[in-house]
Amino acid sequence: MLIYSILFLLLSNAVTLRRDKSILFNRIAISVLLYSTILALGTLYMTYLDRGIGIYSGLFHVTSITQIFQIFIFIISAVILQLTGFYPRKVWVKEYSSIQKMLFNNFIYYKTNITNKKGEQYKIIEYPLILLFIITGSVFLISSSDLVSIFLSIELQSYGLYLLSTLYRNSELATSGGLTYFLLGGLSSCFILLGTALLYANSGSTNLDGLYVITSLSDIANNNNNVLYWYKPYYIDISLLILSVGFLFKVSAAPFHFWSPDVYDAIPTIVTTFVAIIAKISIFIFLLEIVHYTSNSLFTTQYTWTSSLLVSSLLSLIIGTVVGLTQFRIKRLLAYSTISHLGFILLALSINSIESIQAFIFYLMQYSLSNLNAFILLISIGFSLYCYVNENKEYKELLDKNNSPIQLISQIKGFFYINPFLSLSFSITLFSFVGIPPLIGFFAKQIVLSAALDNGYIFLTLVAILTSVISAVYYLNIVKQIFFDKSEYKVNPVLENMDMYASINRNNVLLKKLTFKYNNITLSSSLTISISILTLIILLFILMPQEWLSMANILALILFNP
């Protein structure tokens, strides 16, 4: 479905002359993703009772875990595409907003420049096409079961992300950020290619199943020199270590995190939303299978390659928290916040017990949803401030304001007095990041720390608890500025006294003319519904925990039970 839609979008992009068709292409892409979700749901029964099936001569392996996370990626991508598939603002007049009047009447307003300021995201027809390429790469990577398909999938995903970062042609910041991402992403691909080449050289097989068989026979090689006398088990250990360096680079885990804050901050916020979430989900689900099948083998050395994930987890927790304290740009802060949370995800991944895998799956899903809500809120705050002006010189000198309206933490100072509902939603999401009960983030951290303690990782658990407490400082600073500081925004005097005009039509017959003011311009339904659903999931998780936790538990059990 994805590949067919990519072909048709390529053809339609080639023949269209109007750049404003982008909004329609985005809606087509949303429909494609929703239909792909239905197709993936339909095939879940094939993998539920079995260990999965191999397809395309073993290049890909379809299991319950891959299917569930493919559906998850489709849904999240459809929500992100809503940001460019619908206009951000609408006119809302109470007496003409009943369901009956909305269904049978047309509400036509003029001066659309004011209500629907066209950002550059509505002029780029290639945007949904590149997104579908990235999603295709992610879906392939999740199911990859061969060294060849792994490298091709990660490159398909990565090249799409590089293009997406530099898609805004008139943005100097986005171009420099995308170039940084491309150069350092190319370096990480070299590590992945070197790791895959060494794995093939040492195992003689490109298929991961063959690799898993060899690692499980390592103890035989160690105990009996006549069996596999040529085989040295630490070869594969070193190869997997090099491979993991490349993947840690891609997900921006410490100590390979240095590109991430610069790229997050430079590229437009709508693009950052996609780069920050989708790439990480696919790589972590792929790593889950490799860690599970290679970390339990008996190597000659005490050190296994998964120990490097524990080192990365420790560094991510410390660096993401401590360096985050000094940030004053909000997207750089969210980048360091992501690095800190990657520490928890890597900790759960490295332990490789049933409880830790359950914690890993649950943490990855809840953090993706919380991160998505944070970025949508950031974009919505920028859209809601369009009718306001700020005399602060620092804000006027910001580059790329059209694509990233909110860049500094101080820009949302006193926002509670402008839009209390968005402010409350943003603070709930930040509290979830901190891990304050009864929000979903608390339960995720609690399950990971419980799994770590059960397996004897006391030092890492203490570090994780301390860094969570320290990171609360920069999250609560944002909440403090939103609620307790005085706002520097004033209503634009040009709009304050301006009358704007609209008409109510039915079957192209004019029923009534009316005027409206600037305060009738509100956020569109697509944004408000997305924010409401995501915030309620974060807030009300305690009332409906069973389904989420049961799903994570079943997936972990399927992985562990032959």
Side-chain angles (χ1 to χ4, degrees):
M1 184 63 202
L2 286 171
I3 291 167
Y4 276 133
S5 59
I6 285 170
L7 290 172
F8 284 121
L9 274 176
L10 270 171
L11 289 170
S12 54
N13 281 357
V15 297
T16 187
L17 293 173
R18 292 179 58 187
R19 306 299 292 180
D20 58 350
K21 293 280 186 189
S22 170
I23 201 161
L24 301 176
F25 287 141
N26 280 288
R27 290 175 189 178
I28 291 166
I30 292 171
S31 308
V32 166
L33 291 168
L34 293 177
Y35 187 65
S36 299
T37 305
I38 295 165
L39 290 176
L41 277 168
T43 55
L44 258 179
Y45 73 94
M46 294 168 61
T47 58
Y48 180 68
L49 298 173
D50 201 1
R51 295 302 302 274
I53 52 172
I55 54 174
Y56 298 112
S57 304
L59 284 176
F60 299 100
H61 190 214
V62 183
T63 64
S64 298
I65 291 177
T66 64
Q67 291 294 90
I68 288 288
F69 275 93
Q70 281 173 18
I71 292 165
F72 188 60
I73 283 177
F74 292 148
I75 292 169
I76 283 188
S77 303
V79 174
I80 294 171
L81 271 163
Q82 279 192 319
L83 298 172
T84 47
F86 300 93
Y87 288 113
R89 285 173 291 270
K90 66 178 181 183
V91 175
W92 189 79
V93 181
K94 190 176 180 181
E95 53 270 31
Y96 298 102
S97 297
S98 66
I99 294 173
Q100 183 187 354
K101 288 184 178 176
M102 285 167 67
L103 286 174
F104 297 106
N105 298 336
N106 286 332
F107 186 91
I108 299 169
Y109 51 86
Y110 310 103
K111 299 197 176 177
T112 54
N113 236 12
I114 293 167
T115 50
N116 289 329
K117 183 187 176 188
K118 280 198 173 184
E120 199 168 343
Q121 68 267 30
Y122 298 115
K123 301 173 191 171
I124 302 172
I125 57 174
E126 299 86 3
Y127 178 77
L129 177 67
I130 293 170
L131 246 62
L132 288 177
F133 269 113
I134 298 167
I135 294 162
T136 307
S138 302
V139 166
F140 284 167
L141 182 62
I142 285 175
S143 303
S144 284
S145 186
D146 195 279
L147 295 175
V148 176
S149 58
I150 289 165
F151 187 71
L152 292 176
S153 303
I154 192 73
E155 287 309 290
L156 178 61
Q157 176 181 287
S158 299
Y159 281 128
L161 290 169
Y162 306 149
L163 285 172
L164 199 64
S165 303
T166 54
L167 204 58
Y168 289 69
R169 300 177 185 88
N170 300 327
S171 169
E172 185 183 332
L173 274 178
T175 308
S176 65
L179 191 60
T180 306
Y181 191 16
F182 169 64
L183 292 172
L184 294 173
L187 178 63
S188 65
S189 295
C190 292
F191 279 103
I192 294 169
L193 195 57
L194 177 61
T196 53
L198 288 172
L199 279 173
Y200 175 63
N202 293 321
S203 65
S205 169
T206 60
N207 199 289
L208 290 184
D209 287 344
L211 183 71
Y212 302 150
V213 169
I214 291 172
T215 51
S216 64
L217 291 173
S218 298
D219 55 327
I220 298 175
N222 298 335
N223 297 332
N224 189 344
N225 290 327
N226 296 323
V227 181
L228 297 177
Y229 65 92
W230 48 268
Y231 175 67
K232 302 294 183 200
Y234 58 82
Y235 286 164
I236 287 183
D237 214 25
I238 294 166
S239 305
L240 286 168
L241 177 62
I242 294 168
L243 191 73
S244 69
V245 167
F247 282 111
L248 290 174
F249 221 112
K250 295 281 186 192
V251 295
S252 73
F256 313 106
H257 65 283
F258 41 84
W259 60 270
S260 143
D262 293 331
V263 172
Y264 277 35
D265 194 38
I267 60 180
T269 309
I270 285 174
V271 176
T272 314
T273 311
F274 204 81
V275 172
I277 299 169
I278 300 299
K280 291 176 174 52
I281 297 171
S282 57
I283 290 171
F284 274 121
I285 297 305
F286 164 71
L287 280 175
L288 171 62
E289 191 173 337
I290 289 197
V291 169
H292 178 67
Y293 288 112
T294 60
S295 64
N296 291 334
S297 57
L298 300 171
F299 289 109
T300 47
T301 54
Q302 291 297 309
Y303 178 84
T304 64
W305 77 277
T306 49
S307 305
S308 63
L309 298 182
L310 286 171
V311 173
S312 180
S313 167
L314 176 65
L315 291 172
S316 296
L317 286 166
I318 295 167
I319 291 170
T321 303
V322 174
V323 184
L325 292 170
T326 63
Q327 302 305 314
F328 59 91
R329 295 182 70 87
I330 195 156
K331 283 197 289 179
R332 287 182 75 88
L333 178 63
L334 287 173
Y336 282 108
S337 157
T338 300
I339 293 164
S340 173
H341 286 277
L342 288 177
F344 280 92
I345 294 171
L346 285 168
L347 176 59
L349 180 65
S350 310
I351 295 167
N352 193 35
S353 64
I354 291 181
E355 188 185 3
S356 75
I357 297 304
Q358 180 186 353
F360 166 80
I361 291 168
F362 179 63
Y363 201 107
L364 187 59
M365 294 183 90
Q366 73 81 24
Y367 184 68
S368 299
L369 291 175
S370 301
N371 219 12
L372 176 62
N373 199 34
F375 278 109
I376 293 177
L377 279 161
L378 208 56
I379 291 162
S380 301
I381 290 168
F383 286 142
S384 66
L385 290 173
Y386 180 56
C387 296
Y388 294 82
V389 289
N390 195 319
E391 298 302 322
N392 192 316
K393 286 182 182 177
E394 190 181 8
Y395 303 157
K396 288 181 179 178
E397 291 169 3
L398 288 173
L399 297 172
D400 215 18
K401 281 187 290 187
N402 285 339
N403 298 323
S404 299
I406 305 296
Q407 296 180 31
L408 306 175
I409 295 170
S410 57
Q411 279 181 276
I412 50 176
K413 203 184 282 183
F415 186 72
F416 176 74
Y417 302 102
I418 295 172
N419 193 323
F421 291 107
L422 279 184
S423 303
L424 282 169
S425 184
F426 197 37
S427 59
I428 287 167
T429 308
L430 292 174
F431 285 142
S432 179
F433 284 156
V434 176
I436 291 176
L439 304 176
I440 194 168
F442 164 75
F443 294 101
K445 287 187 176 181
Q446 187 247 337
I447 298 169
V448 172
L449 295 175
S450 169
L453 278 175
D454 285 351
N455 287 273
Y457 294 94
I458 296 167
F459 175 69
L460 269 171
T461 307
L462 286 171
V463 171
I465 292 167
L466 284 171
T467 51
S468 286
V469 173
I470 295 166
S471 67
V473 174
Y474 56 71
Y475 291 127
L476 295 177
N477 176 46
I478 298 174
V479 174
K480 174 235 171 198
Q481 293 207 32
I482 292 173
F483 287 89
F484 300 108
D485 287 3
K486 189 179 177 184
S487 175
E488 297 177 354
Y489 289 96
K490 293 177 183 174
V491 177
N492 191 333
V494 176
L495 296 178
E496 201 163 9
N497 301 313
M498 182 187 281
D499 285 332
M500 289 167 263
Y501 302 98
S503 63
I504 309 292
N505 294 4
R506 183 184 295 168
N507 299 327
N508 295 324
V509 177
L510 178 66
L511 295 182
K512 187 172 182 181
K513 285 189 173 181
L514 65 141
T515 58
F516 61 90
K517 295 285 189 181
Y518 76 92
N519 49 12
N520 290 111
I521 300 169
T522 59
L523 287 174
S524 69
S525 302
S526 63
L527 284 172
T528 51
I529 290 169
S530 300
I531 290 168
S532 303
I533 291 170
L534 289 167
T535 306
L536 287 172
I537 289 171
I538 293 166
L539 184 63
L540 303 178
F541 171 76
I542 194 169
L543 302 178
M544 47 170 191
Q546 197 57 44
E547 290 77 11
W548 282 64
L549 293 172
S550 296
M551 183 183 69
N553 197 23
I554 288 165
L555 291 175
L557 285 169
I558 288 171
L559 191 65
F560 273 83
N561 290 339

